[in-house]
Amino acid sequence: MHTFREHRWQSFLQNYENRARLLISCPDKPGIVASVTSFLYEQGANIVESSQYSTDPEGGTFFLRIEFDCPNITLRKQEIESAFQPIAESFHMDWRLRLHNDVKRIAIFVSKAEHCLLELLWQWQAGELIADIALVISNHEHLRNTVESIGIPYFHIPVTKETKAEAEQKQIELLKKYEVDTIVLARYMQILSPAFVAEFPGRIINIHHSFLPAFVGARPYERAYERGVKLIGATSHYVTDDLDEGPIIEQDVARVDHRHHPDDLKRMGRIIEKTVLARALKWHLEDRVIIHGNKTIVFY
């Protein structure tokens, strides 16, 4: 499995060595697409994918994601960014240019539940999740062997009410040491402090069931069963200071009925959770998500 992943990794780097992504958000007005595409043409680029959206053609916000191939983009990135700056300023753009091969380094936070972690590890080993999993951090020891057996560092940092600040400081030090870009909370059953969240704005992805706000707290599946819910689901979102209220990236549901007992709901919920989290992370890694206020624009 490890050999296959390494082969896929090398193939990816070779196949996309000249590809980049340009993400833009700005006030909507005529001429944005024409100016951007003309600029890319002048740089010798060939557009291979383009998606756009406007909240309102008159006075709204315009969003654009373009993937393109351009010879020697790795060496020319800074040059192209400097040349694009006047266009960006003329349209008041918030923008970024990312190389396709600039693979993000991620950290996975996990507690005892293993389903989301295992899904991410499986997709990573299969070459479906293009990322560098730098480390796994947990407040329990339960999953150490699973993680270390495939060569990923595992750090056990216990968290209690009294030691929370100290534990988070250790976590932050590790994340900086390993140069982590993105943090994935794969059923990590701890609430992150505002100070921790502020260190990684727009770079922490969480997953939880979609019963909120109806069934807050413990035993949500049991209470949902008692209420006779007909839909269960999962939500993946960016973490903000407002608990479980950050910009949503992806959601999914499954229909249930009176024949499904709490254990059935939990089993189905686990399947939805791991699938939704993997999709959300994949889109984030591919720069398909633009945060706009407390919502997201996702170019699938």
Side-chain angles (χ1 to χ4, degrees):
M1 233 15 203
H2 180 75
T3 302
F4 177 66
R5 179 179 59 80
E6 292 295 333
H7 173 71
R8 289 288 299 272
W9 184 276
Q10 291 302 321
S11 297
F12 175 85
L13 295 178
Q14 293 171 4
N15 292 339
Y16 297 103
E17 61 181 355
N18 289 320
R19 184 159 296 183
R21 306 159 180 155
L22 181 61
L23 281 80
I24 295 169
S25 60
C26 63
D28 199 356
K29 61 184 292 188
I32 299 172
V33 175
S35 297
V36 173
T37 54
S38 295
F39 170 81
L40 292 176
Y41 172 76
E42 291 166 1
Q43 299 298 318
N46 179 44
I47 296 172
V48 296
E49 183 180 334
S50 180
S51 302
Q52 64 190 63
Y53 168 72
S54 176
T55 60
D56 188 339
E58 297 182 7
T61 302
F62 181 79
F63 302 90
L64 177 65
R65 179 188 184 276
I66 292 181
E67 258 191 47
F68 61 91
D69 289 330
C70 186
N72 301 315
I73 185 65
T74 302
L75 299 176
R76 297 182 58 206
K77 181 175 183 287
Q78 188 172 359
E79 167 201 333
I80 291 175
E81 288 175 329
S82 297
F84 186 71
Q85 189 61 35
I87 296 175
E89 291 176 356
S90 68
F91 287 100
H92 305 287
M93 292 177 177
D94 181 9
W95 65 285
R96 63 183 186 271
L97 177 65
R98 287 189 58 89
L99 300 179
H100 207 77
N101 283 353
D102 186 9
V103 177
K104 294 182 177 67
R105 291 173 60 81
I106 68 175
I108 301 175
F109 281 44
V110 67
S111 291
K112 294 181 180 179
E114 63 182 6
H115 56 287
C116 288
L117 171 68
L118 294 179
E119 179 68 19
L120 298 181
L121 294 180
W122 180 86
Q123 291 204 20
W124 177 71
Q125 288 181 294
E128 300 298 327
L129 198 66
I130 304 300
D132 185 358
I133 301 181
L135 72 162
V136 171
I137 294 176
S138 179
N139 55 328
H140 297 279
E141 282 280 10
H142 293 61
L143 297 167
R144 178 181 293 277
N145 290 340
T146 299
V147 173
E148 291 185 339
S149 67
I150 55 176
I152 298 174
Y154 185 95
F155 294 91
H156 173 219
I157 302 179
V159 181
T160 65
K161 184 178 179 180
E162 294 73 25
T163 64
K164 185 178 182 65
E166 179 184 352
E168 287 195 339
Q169 185 55 44
K170 291 179 181 178
Q171 293 168 347
I172 291 172
E173 290 172 1
L174 279 172
L175 295 171
K176 291 183 176 180
K177 175 184 176 181
Y178 280 85
E179 300 179 326
V180 167
D181 300 299
T182 301
I183 300 165
V184 187
L185 307 183
R187 297 295 288 157
Y188 180 63
M189 306 307 289
Q190 294 288 326
I191 298 174
L192 302 179
S193 71
F196 186 101
V197 174
E199 290 277 349
F200 308 94
R203 294 190 289 150
I204 308 174
I205 298 175
N206 192 23
I207 184 70
H208 57 73
H209 60 77
S210 289
F211 294 136
L212 301 177
F215 304 112
V216 178
R219 303 178 67 251
Y221 285 98
E222 284 82 358
R223 287 183 290 142
Y225 170 76
E226 292 165 1
R227 182 67 186 276
V229 299
K230 304 307 179 190
L231 289 173
I232 65 171
T235 294
S236 184
H237 63 89
Y238 289 110
V239 175
T240 63
D241 288 345
D242 297 319
L243 181 62
D244 293 333
E245 295 185 18
I248 293 171
I249 308 170
E250 173 64 338
Q251 294 177 295
D252 206 350
V253 297
R255 181 165 291 279
V256 297
D257 59 32
H258 57 277
R259 292 168 295 186
H260 294 95
H261 291 271
D263 285 344
D264 299 318
L265 302 185
K266 293 176 184 178
R267 174 179 51 79
M268 296 170 68
R270 287 192 294 268
I271 293 172
I272 303 171
E273 285 174 357
K274 68 180 184 179
T275 303
V276 167
L277 179 60
R279 282 202 297 256
L281 177 59
K282 188 172 189 294
W283 294 335
H284 173 85
L285 296 174
E286 295 176 355
D287 299 306
R288 295 186 177 276
V289 186
I290 300 177
I291 298 176
H292 178 51
N294 199 45
K295 63 190 300 185
T296 61
I297 310 300
V298 183
F299 293 120
Y300 306 110

